[in-house]
Amino acid sequence: MRKTGTSRESQDRSGKESEASGGAIPEEGWPLTMDVPCAQRRVSFFKLIDTLASEIGELKQEMVETDLILKSESGSTGDPSLVQDMENIFLEKKDFKANTRDSGYDSFSPKLSVLDKLLQTHPVWLQLSLSDEEAVNILQCQPPGSFLVRKAAKLQKKFLSLRLPNESGSCLKEFAIKESSYTFSLEGSGISFADLFRLIAFYCISRDVLPFTLKLPHSISVARTEGELEDIAQLGLNFWTSPANQITTPASTAPPACHRPPSPGGALPKPHLINGLSSLRTRTPSELECGPGKGALCFINPLFLQVHSQDGGGNGAERRRQGRAGWTRPPPPPRPPPPVLSSPRLLGVFKKPGLSMPETTVGAESPERKPVPVPPPRLKKQASVSSSPVDWDGRDQSALSAGAGASCGSESGQPNRCGGGRQQQRLSDMSISTSSSDSLELERRVPLFCYEADSSFEDYEGDPESDPESMPPPLKPSKKRSSSFVLPRVVKAQLLKVSSVFTSLMTPERRMVRRVADMARDKRTYFGCLVQDYISFLLENKECHVSSTDMLQTIRQFMTQVKNYLAQSSELDPPIESLIPEDQIDMVLEKAMHKCILKPLKGHIEAMLKEFHATDGSWKQLRENLQLVRQRTPRELGVCAPTPDTLDLEKIKARFLTMQKTYSPDKKVLLLLRVCKLIYTCMEHNSGRMYGADDFLPVLTYVMAQCDMLELDIEIEYMMELLDPLLLHGEGGYYLTSAYGALSLIKNFQEEQAARLLSSEARHTLRQWHKRRTTNRTVPSVDDFQNYLRVALQEAESGCTGKTLLVRPYTTTEDVCQICAEKFKVQDPENYGLFLFIDETWQQLTEDTYPQKIKAELHSRPQPQVFHFVYRRIRSDHPGIIFIHEDGDSSSDYLP
Amino acid sequence: MGNNLIGRHTEQHTQPSIQDTGVGKSSIVCRFVQDHFDHNISPTIGASFMTKTVPCGNELHKFLIWDTAGQERFHSLAPMYYRGSAAAVIVYDITKQDSFHTLKKWVKELKEHGPENIVMAIAGNKCDLSDIREVTVKDAREYAESISAIVVETSAKNAINVEELFQGISRQIPPLNSHENGNTGTIKLAKQTSQTSRRCC
């Protein structure tokens, strides 16, 4: 009790009384026995529940009841579906359940949560490019509560279109969706969510600022299996007019009242239909439903509601809000319909994809209409494993319950929240997704964790411990949050401990990065093919780049292109815009590119860079010059400020070594900034003097020479060429430039001594770099990066060897055969041909076909198929081109 | 006798000349950034690179100020620093005629190799020491006119005209789309600076 005393005392007077009545607690305070604190805790827990309950009112009491149900679950025979529904509202519950339940009940009959359903069926309701007119057409035939999410072409803003009851005058009302840097919320509401799906899921259950809750189409809400949902999702926008939507609508629910307003006061018996103003009162959880037969969905995060009522200032505000958002006020006139844009998603269904090489350059088209460059294959649902529960709620759910207590107890300063296990869970569950003042603390931490979690859990990352005073400033000064608070070191360590909790919760960003990375490994996706083909091409064709810059530039360009592709393609499912606020998308995708392209290539790139520098002799020169420069005194190098001592140099060196281990250019730059910060600290030496470039650059040169690391050359080149061009303007860009400059000075030290100037050649190189990096921001075309074709050579003796070839869209099979003959060093090319192996059959491609087009066509098929291009001997005794092949072992097919 | 270049999204490059610490370019930048310092904005790690956001009309201009080492031996690195910048501040010391000559060299270099349309501003620092001045106001003004640059005499020490210097630059930088707010404004700026820099090599 003592430990948590301050946190609980205030609400816990009865707890004290019980202490007294128990008589075990003397005035000294500290309990004499161990039992007593337990009793206290229990008492205080109940007291806490009481307190909270009275705060939240009857709603909260509902919560306690459900809580009890949950607790007694193992032995209870209570309505299991009720329990399940409650648990399933937010997917996070699932893991938790999995831990506590051993019946395996769920695995046998998985029930789908609202969130699940929304995720799976987003092609139906998430219609970002739908015009006003189309939206009206669709929704007017739907029951009230039906909704679509769209994007305003002009404002680049998403909004929710909600079907109103007919008596309300206008059939649609629109609610703008606000995107702040990490969250989505409805305008006017204090509740925000990590992504669009959670937002919609919430409003399916609670109306908040809406006149009533959202209704999923009937067939979706009654769907029991993923298969059903999948079928619905396949229909996309057509769902609304399809029989799937109409037929299954039972007569008892709202008839699609297209033209005929329902009889006034007509007894509309359907429980989920809103009939008139009476529905405007606040609903208790038990009244909230998600469709017939599903029972009450009462497990809304209670704090949402609590927070909300606080925000609104209680019931009065609630009523005001109703007045504001309800239809007591005439809805706004319908907007004039903008020019009709057809949905890219729909186009994707009908367009013969892939045959023409995709046009990516948006050019004259309005930016918000994103063309689908390559209609990607419609993935079977298992491909969306990534969006299935497991991935969705993160992996660390178990850590959640363990860590949540620590987090709220030790730092959050919200002790009264730490009631018991369940309470904690809920708290941590939601604090991330609310933006209310209550959870502000936690929310503000997000960026920090974001970074630390990234580094400490995923990739190797620097040494946060040795340099507490210099948390590096963020690369993007615009992100105020991460920089505006400094945590004491101890707290930081604690935070780090529980950060695993947060990784699972807070960053849609991380989830997105992971999803993209998963997709990049999945060759059934178009994107995965691009990335994998490119990577194998690079690995196999070492000779294809003439210089280190050439190589790095191509890689950078590839990343930019794939990034663009990904931002525009519909292959990311659900679309990235529904998970990541618009202004973050590029940054998130950039991170994902690093992970899926640079990570696998890092070793190769380094080896290649070393090779290039060894070959052209630049390393030899650098080594000699480093030696030379190290013998100079700081003074001789133009240093006029204090320099780092041996100890500091060791620290710096350690940081450079760390830098070598990470693949992300961003993180490397961050480490460079830490080094520079340390140098400044040494220079200032408590003098308070500010040093500009005149002083800093010489010291940096001195330091880099003292570190005596040839590899720094590679590191800097890596960063210079691969860093996101946008970052080159910021602080990272500046110090990177300085480091590059310092290294150039060292490399040209001898000449400099002779001429006091860099050689004209070096100057030229600098200019070239500058030019490249500042001009390559034009929108790239997809063409360049799809030009890879993986071809296997099959030989009787040696089996298969694969090579990735550069094959342009209009390269014919004849040309490809020629390339193959060269690459594979085939002596008798006339006896070889290019085959497509698909569906267990071999087809020889005729000379005038285009392998890339065939590949594109295959990729665009709805059912992904495994296929290979194989360069192999033609069976002369077998004029029929197609023959059966078994089991991947084709030796029997060969000529004797 | 330095010279500073400033960009707007913005990069400033300072390029002092041989007597590096003489002219006080770093002082000017520090003065500019640290006066009315907004503690909400993350400070940079050192004085070589500083940022400040200033309102200009309906927009917010974010200055990213790149300090350039002015010593002769670093001269060859300068192109890397002024790449992509929208403006340059070149600083001289009004008490040192030499620094004014060096300034002219920098101007020439910028004209030849710098970004197209770069806004140039000449700052005669140490105007608090005007009793020992070697460069007259008239000389400076005539020269500035000949190269159509902004000219202002400043005192970083006494905070004279520093703010004005940067406001002058802000005004000269072509306006962005007026409906942009501050945030996207800086992004725009980034793009713009990249454009302006295209020619510079």
Side-chain angles (χ1 to χ4, degrees):
Chain A
M1 194 59 218
R2 178 48 45 101
K3 275 175 258 166
T4 54
T6 45
S7 60
R8 289 192 183 150
E9 257 157 12
S10 55
Q11 333 139 11
D12 208 354
R13 247 166 258 128
S14 79
K16 279 198 180 140
E17 282 160 24
S18 81
E19 284 173 15
S21 63
I25 304 300
E27 258 50 53
E28 295 93 287
W30 188 250
L32 294 177
T33 69
M34 289 309 291
D35 294 340
V36 177
C38 283
Q40 286 171 353
R41 200 164 294 138
R42 202 171 305 127
V43 171
S44 64
F45 171 64
F46 286 126
K47 189 64 190 169
L48 174 67
I49 297 269
D50 274 357
T51 317
L52 288 178
S54 65
E55 275 170 20
I56 308 170
E58 63 172 9
L59 172 62
K60 181 62 199 174
Q61 292 194 347
E62 295 270 356
M63 286 308 314
V64 176
E65 278 170 38
T66 61
D67 215 3
L68 292 175
I69 292 173
L70 280 172
K71 273 179 186 161
S72 59
E73 189 180 9
S74 51
S76 115
T77 55
D79 178 7
S81 77
L82 171 70
V83 173
Q84 234 180 356
D85 280 348
M86 294 186 312
E87 287 174 337
N88 282 340
I89 296 174
F90 288 99
L91 283 165
E92 281 81 354
K93 300 292 170 289
K94 276 198 171 169
D95 273 2
F96 176 69
K97 186 174 52 192
N99 291 339
T100 57
R101 179 185 292 211
D102 55 8
S103 68
Y105 176 83
D106 276 302
S107 48
F108 288 116
S109 80
K111 278 191 76 179
L112 297 159
S113 71
V114 176
L115 188 53
D116 276 330
K117 290 179 176 177
L118 286 167
L119 277 166
Q120 297 226 8
T121 60
H122 69 81
V124 170
W125 56 268
L126 187 61
Q127 295 291 346
L128 293 180
S129 53
L130 198 68
S131 73
D132 290 355
E133 202 177 346
E134 288 170 289
V136 170
N137 282 339
I138 288 171
L139 285 181
Q140 69 182 0
C141 299
Q142 308 302 323
S146 303
F147 63 94
L148 291 167
V149 173
R150 304 190 291 139
K151 188 151 112 182
K154 263 192 195 152
L155 299 171
Q156 286 287 296
K157 226 179 184 181
K158 299 188 190 81
F159 56 88
L160 176 71
S161 300
L162 176 64
R163 171 77 162 98
L164 297 178
N166 290 303
E167 60 268 30
S168 60
S170 155
C171 96
L172 279 196
K173 185 165 166 66
E174 261 129 31
F175 298 88
I177 295 170
K178 229 166 57 188
E179 296 178 25
S180 73
S181 45
Y182 288 97
T183 56
F184 294 80
S185 61
L186 278 194
E187 221 152 85
S189 165
I191 309 173
S192 48
F193 302 86
D195 59 53
L196 208 49
F197 297 101
R198 283 172 166 77
L199 181 143
I200 298 294
F202 176 79
Y203 285 102
C204 284
I205 296 155
S206 169
R207 63 179 186 80
D208 186 33
V209 295
L210 299 180
F212 40 79
T213 56
L214 303 177
K215 297 282 172 287
L216 286 173
H218 182 74
S219 46
I220 294 180
S221 68
V222 298
R224 296 271 148 184
T225 65
E226 297 211 346
E228 289 174 52
L229 293 177
E230 198 181 311
D231 292 342
I232 291 171
Q234 291 278 351
L235 294 171
L237 195 58
N238 294 332
F239 164 80
W240 296 103
T241 49
S242 74
N245 186 27
Q246 311 291 356
I247 291 175
T248 52
T249 305
S252 67
T253 52
C258 275
H259 309 295
R260 171 182 61 87
S263 49
L268 295 172
K270 351 353 153 183
H272 69 285
L273 192 72
I274 309 302
N275 47 358
L277 291 171
S278 63
S279 66
L280 283 182
R281 70 198 168 79
T282 312
R283 296 166 146 233
T284 60
S286 57
E287 290 172 85
L288 296 168
E289 307 209 14
C290 197
K294 295 213 63 183
L297 286 171
C298 39
F299 198 168
I300 319 168
N301 285 321
L303 289 187
F304 276 163
L305 302 173
Q306 181 195 14
V307 154
H308 193 214
S309 65
Q310 281 170 357
D311 283 351
N315 282 336
E318 182 68 17
R319 246 171 270 125
R320 275 201 304 283
R321 198 177 306 121
Q322 287 163 13
R324 181 156 36 93
W327 61 84
T328 46
R329 205 173 63 176
R335 300 176 188 197
V340 181
L341 299 176
S342 41
S343 148
R345 218 155 256 287
L346 272 185
L347 280 180
V349 175
F350 299 118
K351 192 172 150 196
K352 188 79 176 164
L355 273 180
S356 60
M357 281 301 146
E359 337 66 52
T360 15
T361 31
V362 185
E365 282 187 282
S366 65
E368 51 281 343
R369 187 188 164 184
K370 297 190 174 170
V372 184
V374 178
R378 189 79 204 159
L379 300 176
K380 287 310 285 176
K381 232 25 191 200
Q382 78 221 97
S384 72
V385 176
S386 52
S387 61
S388 78
V390 184
D391 216 43
W392 259 96
D393 45 13
R395 316 161 280 201
D396 299 322
Q397 211 62 33
S398 53
L400 170 70
S401 32
S407 78
C408 65
S410 52
E411 313 97 34
S412 76
Q414 302 176 330
N416 57 342
R417 291 284 156 72
C418 298
R422 306 277 168 169
Q423 300 287 339
Q424 286 171 13
Q425 171 134 5
R426 281 181 213 140
L427 167 69
S428 44
D429 232 6
M430 73 191 57
S431 43
I432 286 317
S433 50
T434 59
S435 68
S436 69
S437 52
D438 276 289
S439 59
L440 195 63
E441 288 265 297
L442 283 171
E443 216 203 352
R444 279 166 52 96
R445 256 180 234 139
V446 167
L448 176 70
F449 281 118
C450 204
Y451 172 68
E452 291 192 343
D454 259 357
S455 48
S456 49
F457 287 88
E458 193 92 353
D459 315 306
Y460 186 78
E461 162 57 26
D463 42 355
E465 80 294 343
S466 60
D467 198 13
E469 86 287 357
S470 64
M471 266 300 281
L475 283 179
K476 290 187 187 163
S478 60
K479 276 209 239 157
K480 272 191 238 162
R481 314 204 227 186
S482 47
S483 57
S484 57
F485 56 97
V486 178
L487 294 162
R489 192 174 163 178
V490 183
V491 177
K492 231 169 78 187
Q494 280 175 335
L495 293 186
L496 210 58
K497 270 187 225 146
V498 295
S499 64
S500 63
V501 176
F502 290 88
T503 53
S504 67
L505 289 170
M506 88 233 146
T507 59
E509 171 189 316
R510 261 175 64 80
R511 268 185 301 207
M512 182 51 78
V513 170
R514 203 185 307 144
R515 274 185 53 209
V516 173
D518 287 346
M519 198 161 103
R521 281 188 293 268
D522 184 354
K523 283 207 95 174
R524 286 165 309 179
T525 66
Y526 188 81
F527 171 72
C529 279
L530 285 178
V531 172
Q532 295 308 321
D533 284 356
Y534 183 74
I535 289 174
S536 49
F537 176 78
L538 272 189
L539 295 178
E540 286 162 19
N541 296 273
K542 295 192 174 172
E543 71 283 5
C544 71
H545 294 296
V546 294
S547 70
S548 54
T549 3
D550 178 37
M551 176 181 73
L552 293 173
Q553 258 177 278
T554 342
I555 295 173
R556 175 67 250 179
Q557 200 159 350
F558 179 74
M559 290 200 294
T560 310
Q561 288 165 343
V562 183
K563 200 164 75 168
N564 275 21
Y565 163 73
L566 218 49
Q568 294 172 7
S569 107
S570 55
E571 204 164 39
L572 264 182
D573 182 44
I576 190 168
E577 289 141 303
S578 61
L579 298 170
I580 308 286
E582 306 264 340
D583 58 342
Q584 309 271 315
I585 289 179
D586 188 72
M587 188 262 292
V588 171
L589 286 180
E590 175 73 19
K591 262 193 183 170
M593 292 306 107
H594 294 166
K595 188 159 181 176
C596 62
I597 297 169
L598 292 184
K599 197 175 178 186
L601 280 176
K602 176 174 183 283
H604 171 77
I605 294 175
E606 277 170 0
M608 289 301 291
L609 289 179
K610 274 182 195 160
E611 206 177 304
F612 279 123
H613 293 305
T615 318
D616 67 8
S618 61
W619 266 29
K620 186 168 165 286
Q621 199 199 347
L622 179 60
R623 190 178 295 120
E624 287 166 2
N625 276 355
L626 273 172
Q627 206 54 33
L628 215 59
V629 177
R630 286 180 67 201
Q631 289 159 6
R632 308 283 142 163
T633 62
R635 193 85 218 165
E636 284 173 299
L637 295 173
V639 174
C640 306
T643 51
D645 58 21
T646 335
L647 202 66
D648 290 323
L649 279 174
E650 282 308 309
K651 268 196 209 171
I652 289 171
K653 214 169 162 176
R655 231 155 268 188
F656 280 138
L657 287 171
T658 310
M659 184 190 282
Q660 283 181 268
K661 291 178 189 150
T662 171
Y663 64 86
S664 150
D666 294 7
K667 282 179 192 157
K668 284 181 194 277
V669 168
L670 223 50
L671 283 161
L672 177 66
L673 284 178
R674 288 193 193 174
V675 168
C676 292
K677 169 81 184 166
L678 191 60
I679 294 176
Y680 274 118
T681 312
C682 297
M683 287 168 73
E684 280 159 21
H685 204 69
N686 296 329
S687 69
R689 208 190 134 185
M690 303 283 281
Y691 286 98
D694 291 348
D695 298 299
F696 180 76
L697 197 54
V699 178
L700 182 65
T701 315
Y702 167 80
V703 167
M704 289 179 72
Q706 291 298 317
C707 284
D708 196 19
M709 291 167 68
L710 279 177
E711 295 80 6
L712 270 186
D713 188 36
I714 290 184
E715 291 304 312
I716 287 167
E717 197 175 6
Y718 188 99
M719 290 184 269
M720 291 281 274
E721 298 293 346
L722 297 179
L723 192 70
D724 185 353
L726 278 178
L727 295 182
L728 283 175
H729 288 277
E731 192 167 29
Y734 177 84
Y735 287 101
L736 189 53
T737 305
S738 297
Y740 184 77
L743 208 61
S744 309
L745 288 172
I746 295 173
K747 280 183 187 167
N748 297 280
F749 188 67
Q750 282 170 309
E751 295 162 51
E752 190 220 1
Q753 287 208 309
R756 305 287 295 162
L757 274 176
L758 287 188
S759 68
S760 58
E761 195 186 342
R763 297 193 63 167
H764 181 69
T765 322
L766 294 183
R767 289 233 176 85
Q768 284 303 312
W769 178 81
H770 158 190
K771 187 175 171 185
R772 263 199 332 268
R773 291 296 269 160
T774 46
T775 52
N776 76 1
R777 221 172 291 157
T778 48
V779 182
S781 81
V782 183
D783 287 355
D784 302 326
F785 63 91
Q786 3 177 253
N787 294 338
Y788 299 102
L789 190 72
R790 176 111 187 139
V791 178
L793 171 73
Q794 203 173 37
E795 289 279 40
E797 320 82 52
S798 54
C800 265
T801 43
K803 278 205 188 302
T804 309
L805 309 174
L806 195 62
V807 175
R808 310 225 169 253
Y810 294 100
T811 310
T812 59
T813 300
E814 188 180 7
D815 299 334
V816 174
C817 284
Q818 258 178 29
I819 301 172
C820 287
E822 259 169 55
K823 285 272 175 188
F824 293 121
K825 303 197 173 60
V826 167
Q827 305 300 324
D828 48 345
E830 63 281 357
N831 292 330
Y832 281 78
L834 188 64
F835 290 78
L836 177 67
F837 178 59
I838 185 168
D839 280 346
E840 306 292 304
T841 59
W842 292 92
Q843 304 171 27
Q844 187 180 357
L845 306 179
T846 51
E847 288 193 337
D848 54 351
T849 50
Y850 302 104
Q852 282 292 11
K853 290 194 166 187
I854 294 169
K855 179 175 124 186
E857 201 274 327
L858 288 170
H859 273 305
S860 65
R861 291 191 183 172
Q863 301 280 331
Q865 284 164 296
V866 180
F867 61 90
H868 301 284
F869 288 97
V870 182
Y871 184 64
R872 51 174 287 181
R873 216 168 261 280
I874 303 166
R875 281 182 66 135
S876 53
D877 59 339
H878 209 301
I881 289 162
I882 300 166
F883 47 93
I884 302 302
H885 169 78
E886 279 167 30
D887 209 24
D889 175 23
S890 62
S891 51
S892 61
D893 293 329
Y894 283 109
L895 288 169
Chain B
M1 29 229 76
N3 319 54
N4 286 345
L5 308 187
I6 301 169
R8 148 181 115 149
H9 139 107
T10 309
E11 312 188 347
Q12 159 164 359
H13 304 233
T14 316
Q15 308 173 327
S17 54
I18 311 159
Q19 300 94 325
D20 36 7
T21 53
V23 297
K25 69 187 162 61
S26 301
S27 320
I28 288 184
V29 177
C30 289
R31 170 66 72 185
F32 170 61
V33 171
Q34 292 179 337
D35 275 6
H36 315 290
F37 184 67
D38 180 356
H39 291 276
N40 287 327
I41 291 172
S42 66
T44 54
I45 60 170
S48 307
F49 173 87
M50 299 188 112
T51 65
K52 180 163 179 165
T53 305
V54 292
C56 176
N58 294 331
E59 303 173 351
L60 288 177
H61 283 186
K62 181 169 186 185
F63 283 88
L64 306 180
I65 305 168
W66 289 44
D67 191 1
T68 309
Q71 298 94 318
E72 187 65 37
R73 66 165 69 191
F74 298 129
H75 190 125
S76 53
L77 299 179
M80 301 188 64
Y81 287 84
Y82 59 66
R83 83 191 142 83
S85 61
V89 178
I90 310 150
V91 186
Y92 69 97
D93 179 347
I94 63 159
T95 67
K96 297 209 172 74
Q97 186 66 44
D98 278 356
S99 70
F100 195 62
H101 288 308
T102 318
L103 174 138
K104 290 179 180 172
K105 269 167 58 185
W106 281 109
V107 170
K108 190 160 168 277
E109 152 113 22
L110 273 174
K111 289 248 170 201
E112 279 172 18
H113 303 296
E116 216 170 336
N117 304 326
I118 192 169
V119 173
M120 280 197 263
I122 294 173
N125 199 26
K126 303 193 183 173
C127 69
D128 49 310
L129 300 176
S130 64
D131 45 333
I132 52 166
R133 82 158 62 231
E134 289 180 9
V135 182
T136 64
V137 179
K138 181 164 164 285
D139 283 354
R141 206 161 270 164
E142 276 173 7
Y143 177 67
E145 262 167 42
S146 74
I147 58 164
S148 42
I150 299 166
V151 64
V152 84
E153 284 202 348
T154 59
S155 164
K157 190 177 159 211
N158 298 345
I160 299 168
N161 277 345
V162 174
E163 199 74 33
E164 288 74 6
L165 168 68
F166 285 87
Q167 270 166 12
I169 293 167
S170 228
R171 279 193 296 271
Q172 290 251 325
I173 290 171
L176 304 163
N177 292 344
S178 51
H179 65 83
E180 297 286 355
N181 62 23
N183 266 340
T184 50
T186 52
I187 294 165
K188 274 277 156 92
L189 286 169
K191 282 180 185 153
Q192 185 178 355
T193 48
S194 78
Q195 282 163 3
T196 56
S197 68
R198 223 169 253 168
R199 200 213 58 161
C200 76
C201 303

